[in-house]
Amino acid sequence: MIKEMIVVEGKSDTVAVKRAVEADTIETGGSAVNNSIIAKIALAMERRGVIILTDPDHAGERIRKIVSAKVPGCKHAFIPEKDATRKGDIGVENASPEAIRHALAHVHTAFEGSIPVIGIDDLMEAGMLVHPHAAERRMALGNLLGIGYCNGKQLYKRLSMFGITREEFAQALAQIELGGLTS
């Protein structure tokens, strides 16, 4: 049984999570997260802790940002887009139990106000910004580090917010280079 409450988008996500692990969920009902849902999540945070597990798409990221801003200290679990896509549909409900368990076993806690150890120059040099394959490289990096896909500005913030070290960044970058994403 997972101690924390898991925030998901809808009923199908709850079903998928419960197939993978024994856990309680809070459903946001989509991207219009209302005050009563935020109050539920805040109470869960106070009593048990919260893990946010939303779809790896724009709407999922929007929900993650809203909940994180209103309920600080949440943990974050990310499923790579490739593991959450079936027949063109992206969502937690499409992920295998193994992918969900993997995401929940590799949660990150956000540390607001943390000092960045990886700078914009580092991201430029690593081909994560202003590079013909920057989006593809950021997706690979986000998947390897377990922090999800994001644009350049979000990547900079997440690396700091989740306390990613230079060593973790360098190891993931080496894997990307070995995987042929160097061009």
Side-chain angles (χ1 to χ4, degrees):
M1 173 75 173
I2 293 181
K3 176 188 149 225
E4 295 90 349
M5 298 283 289
I6 301 174
V7 173
V8 296
E9 294 179 46
K11 288 179 178 26
S12 300
D13 298 336
T14 290
V15 170
V17 167
K18 288 182 183 277
R19 270 196 319 256
V21 294
E22 192 176 329
D24 295 318
T25 62
I26 297 173
E27 297 164 5
T28 65
S31 60
V33 184
N34 64 40
N35 288 335
S36 72
I37 295 294
I38 292 296
K40 242 188 237 184
I41 295 169
L43 181 61
M45 183 66 189
E46 196 178 293
R47 304 253 170 120
R48 293 177 57 182
V50 169
I51 299 171
I52 302 172
L53 179 65
T54 54
D55 296 349
D57 61 8
H58 180 72
E61 283 303 313
R62 183 175 180 280
I63 293 167
R64 186 181 295 278
K65 283 180 189 174
I66 291 168
V67 172
S68 293
K70 300 203 181 222
V71 185
C74 293
K75 294 178 182 177
H76 297 264
F78 297 91
I79 298 174
E81 185 179 316
K82 68 177 177 51
D83 294 339
T85 304
R86 189 176 349 152
K87 296 180 183 174
D89 180 43
I90 299 171
V92 170
E93 71 273 11
N94 298 320
S96 68
E98 295 77 27
I100 292 170
R101 284 192 290 271
H102 184 268
L104 292 172
H106 296 88
V107 298
H108 293 277
T109 304
F111 300 107
E112 296 300 325
S114 56
I115 298 164
V117 293
I118 298 156
I120 296 293
D121 290 344
D122 297 317
L123 295 178
M124 293 277 287
E125 188 176 311
M128 300 294 154
L129 308 170
V130 195
H131 183 279
H133 301 285
E136 182 182 359
R137 292 173 66 81
R138 284 193 307 272
M139 181 173 286
L141 183 74
N143 290 341
L144 288 168
L145 294 174
I147 61 172
Y149 172 75
C150 41
N151 66 29
K153 187 176 177 182
Q154 290 171 321
L155 177 60
Y156 175 73
K157 285 181 183 176
R158 280 190 190 170
L159 291 170
S160 174
M161 191 170 71
F162 294 136
I164 303 298
T165 65
R166 282 197 162 282
E167 294 76 29
E168 291 170 312
F169 181 74
Q171 286 174 351
L173 195 56
Q175 282 186 282
I176 290 169
E177 302 302 332
L178 286 172
L181 294 175
T182 56
S183 5

